[in-house]
Amino acid sequence: MQDISQIILDLVQNSIAADSTKVQIEIKKDILRNLLIITINDNGKGMSQEITKGCTDPFYTTRTTRSVGLGLAFTKMLSEQSGGFFNIDSQENQGTRLNFSFLLNHWDRPPFGKLEDTYISLLILNPNVEFNISISTDEKSFTLKSQDVYENIGESHVSEAWVIEWLREYLRENFYHLLKEEDKS
Amino acid sequence: MSKIKSLEDLRRLRVEQERNEITRQNTGVQVIVGMGTCGIAAGARDAMLTILEEINKRNLKVNITQTGCIGMCQHEPLIDVIIPGEDRITYGLVTKDIARKIVAEHIVNNNIVKEAVIGRIEKQ
Ligand code: FES
């Protein structure tokens, strides 16, 4: 997992595997505290306390098949290595909330990567899930709800070239305008 | 300076698109992308978007879906192609180049991209 866009894609896959119908992704650039804070909230089936405790341990072994990806353990390790925190909060039948951060200017803080492609992939592959993403800084913010996209194009068009192209540009403009980074590429 | 787009532009674009709508050929083909942790880490997202791009270029319609971990980390990204009436083919280590080949050769011309095949399930 080289960048934040792939970490988010992977973590949201857990939400989808947990039957979520609504996933909220928030990226907050808190310049004053030098933190990049990411929150992923879903309304999926959640996890028991025991699993919630174990799921960030890469050697947690009570599971026979890996229903929760290695991504959680990895993200926890990475955020802590980058001077950030990692919290997971899950209620059975209610949903799961992940909240983690990186020091904004830490060496090990991964680059953003193609957040626009992550969002587009999620829309295309999961037409029945609502994805809302918001990016904010201390002063400004940008939000996109999948509902708003569908209202403007009609659900059946989402995987067509003109939509993908348009969304990609729209998201790039808005994301990187706020995140302002080297990885605009 | 570029003007920031708004969602209304998308609606306008849709109207335009509908005016010169080309009928997309429905192939009945199904493409399944492995989107488990290691699939994503290995580039499944890019493989999927490349396949879609190639399909759109040719005005084809395929059904793209995802599956989670299937326990073959070392071969990720994994892509399955199911053409009605043919064997189900699993491709491994799907780079963007191979993704393009899968569309051009397998989906369009029905020639399996042999060098990238890692599994084959006979048609039922
Ligand atoms: S986690 Fe590697 S194949 Fe599933």
Side-chain angles (χ1 to χ4, degrees):
Chain A
M1 237 34 90
Q2 312 97 313
D3 61 50
I4 289 175
S5 76
Q6 288 188 316
I7 291 171
I8 290 177
L9 181 56
D10 180 48
L11 296 173
V12 174
Q13 288 294 330
N14 293 338
S15 301
I16 292 161
D19 303 330
S20 304
T21 55
K22 197 169 174 179
V23 184
Q24 173 86 30
I25 303 161
E26 280 170 36
I27 303 175
K28 190 169 179 4
K29 190 174 175 183
D30 187 335
I31 300 165
L32 285 176
R33 286 156 70 205
N34 187 27
L35 280 178
L36 183 73
I37 306 163
I38 299 172
T39 311
I40 300 175
N41 242 319
D42 71 44
N43 66 351
K45 62 179 183 231
M47 296 180 281
S48 68
Q49 267 200 334
E50 193 221 355
I51 294 179
T52 306
K53 263 200 222 126
C55 68
T56 52
D57 171 3
F59 304 110
Y60 184 64
T61 50
T62 65
R63 44 206 161 141
T64 43
T65 54
R66 193 188 287 151
S67 59
V68 190
L70 255 183
L72 282 167
F74 176 77
T75 308
K76 180 171 194 280
M77 185 191 80
L78 198 62
S79 52
E80 287 169 356
Q81 259 172 20
S82 316
F85 56 78
F86 181 95
N87 291 315
I88 179 166
D89 184 12
S90 193
Q91 294 304 322
E92 267 180 286
N93 304 315
Q94 309 267 324
T96 300
R97 178 187 164 89
L98 300 177
N99 183 230
F100 57 97
S101 71
F102 305 96
L103 276 188
L104 212 43
N105 65 358
H106 197 285
W107 287 109
D108 291 329
R109 198 259 294 164
F112 291 110
K114 293 182 181 160
L115 287 168
E116 65 280 21
D117 281 4
T118 283
Y119 192 78
I120 292 168
S121 305
L122 287 170
L123 282 193
I124 291 170
L125 292 172
N126 309 280
N128 299 319
V129 182
E130 223 179 283
F131 295 105
N132 301 336
I133 189 165
S134 81
I135 300 206
S136 60
T137 65
D138 302 322
E139 298 122 38
K140 288 185 207 139
S141 71
F142 165 78
T143 302
L144 181 66
K145 299 183 171 163
S146 50
Q147 254 11 43
D148 293 340
V149 176
Y150 292 141
E151 265 169 36
N152 284 286
I153 59 163
E155 217 156 304
S156 59
H157 294 291
V158 73
S159 63
E160 289 176 23
W162 60 277
V163 179
I164 297 174
E165 252 162 63
W166 191 89
L167 271 180
R168 200 178 255 150
E169 244 183 273
Y170 177 66
L171 293 172
R172 282 170 81 117
E173 271 182 10
N174 286 289
F175 287 172
Y176 300 114
H177 174 70
L178 288 175
L179 297 171
K180 281 228 183 59
E181 271 233 334
E182 62 288 352
D183 45 27
K184 268 189 168 169
S185 62
Chain B
M1 236 186 74
S2 73
K3 195 169 121 249
I4 300 234
K5 297 176 169 22
S6 83
L7 278 169
E8 266 110 74
D9 299 340
L10 191 56
R11 189 188 293 268
R12 233 167 284 142
L13 194 58
R14 178 196 180 175
V15 176
E16 240 168 74
Q17 286 289 332
E18 271 167 1
R19 218 175 290 140
N20 41 37
E21 187 81 52
I22 347 130
T23 21
R24 290 150 65 84
Q25 194 194 334
N26 199 336
T27 53
V29 172
Q30 213 185 327
V31 172
I32 305 165
V33 189
M35 286 290 240
T37 296
C38 43
I40 294 168
R45 184 189 63 193
D46 289 353
M48 192 273 286
L49 289 173
T50 304
I51 288 190
L52 210 54
E53 199 179 295
E54 293 299 307
I55 281 162
N56 281 325
K57 262 189 213 160
R58 296 170 171 83
N59 277 313
L60 304 173
K61 216 169 173 174
V62 306
N63 181 12
I64 293 202
T65 51
Q66 66 174 340
T67 169
C69 163
I70 56 171
M72 293 201 286
C73 303
Q74 70 277 24
H75 297 296
E76 299 275 4
L78 290 161
I79 302 258
D80 275 27
V81 175
I82 308 172
I83 297 182
E86 305 286 333
D87 294 352
R88 169 177 181 156
I89 303 296
T90 301
Y91 291 107
L93 297 172
V94 179
T95 58
K96 285 189 186 181
D97 271 351
I98 293 179
R100 284 187 203 107
K101 270 195 185 165
I102 291 173
V103 177
E105 288 171 31
H106 190 171
I107 295 178
V108 176
N109 293 325
N110 214 347
N111 292 323
I112 294 166
V113 185
K114 290 210 186 66
E115 73 267 26
V117 174
I118 59 161
R120 181 174 194 142
I121 300 172
E122 263 175 58
K123 62 171 178 252
Q124 277 95 13

